[in-house]
Amino acid sequence: MPTETDPAAAARWTTQVLRATAALALLSTLTQGLLAGLFVTGDVGLLTVHNVLGSVISVFALVQFALALVERRVRGRRGEANSWRLTVLTGLFLVLVFAQIGLGMSRLVAPHMFLGVTAAALAMLVLFVALTEGGPAPSRRTALTGETL
């Protein structure tokens, strides 16, 4: 039975913050689509909210990319399973978010909307990978013998 000091019992703080940031980034990205739809239907005041939320998403993207780098390094030092997926996906999300901001400020609406949908899909993928691959390494015990490999 795992104890509180067992590293496999709880995920590291970086993993927890990465997961929370990924969830917030996804919710914010989906909210951006809602705000854009309401703006297009005539609520011009929501453009300012859309702009501010874009800046907030860029902070989430920066934080989750930095945390993915830290997580990868920590897992490598501990000799745990180490995947490149989370680092690459958060980096790609970061690039997409800054491209989104540039396109939005340039009023290039069609590519801005296309990348917005792509960013939302990528944010979902980042959250999925953070939840499934970002946790502690699985136990090295076999189910049948109870011996370590």
Side-chain angles (χ1 to χ4, degrees), residues 52-149:
V52 170
L53 189 55
S55 298
V56 170
I57 293 170
S58 69
V59 171
F60 288 149
L62 279 168
V63 169
Q64 74 183 11
F65 180 64
L67 285 170
L69 290 173
V70 169
E71 181 76 7
R72 183 167 168 75
R73 185 175 178 127
V74 167
R75 289 177 73 84
R77 283 187 175 174
R78 290 186 178 174
E80 296 177 4
N82 203 355
S83 176
W84 55 268
R85 283 177 239 179
L86 196 54
T87 307
V88 169
L89 291 173
T90 57
L92 185 58
F93 183 69
L94 178 65
V95 169
L96 237 63
V97 167
F98 281 103
Q100 274 292 91
I101 291 172
L103 290 170
M105 294 295 182
S106 301
R107 304 287 190 248
L108 297 171
V109 178
H112 180 73
M113 290 174 73
F114 172 76
L115 281 185
V117 172
T118 305
L122 186 58
M124 286 182 217
L125 185 58
V126 167
L127 180 59
F128 176 77
V129 172
L131 291 173
T132 58
E133 294 183 5
S139 175
R140 298 183 70 193
R141 293 191 177 265
T142 63
L144 297 175
T145 64
E147 297 175 16
T148 56
L149 297 174

Side-chain angles (χ1 to χ4, degrees), residues 39-52:
F39 166 72
V40 169
T41 59
D43 195 345
V44 181
L46 290 177
L47 185 60
T48 303
V49 178
H50 184 79
N51 185 21
V52 170

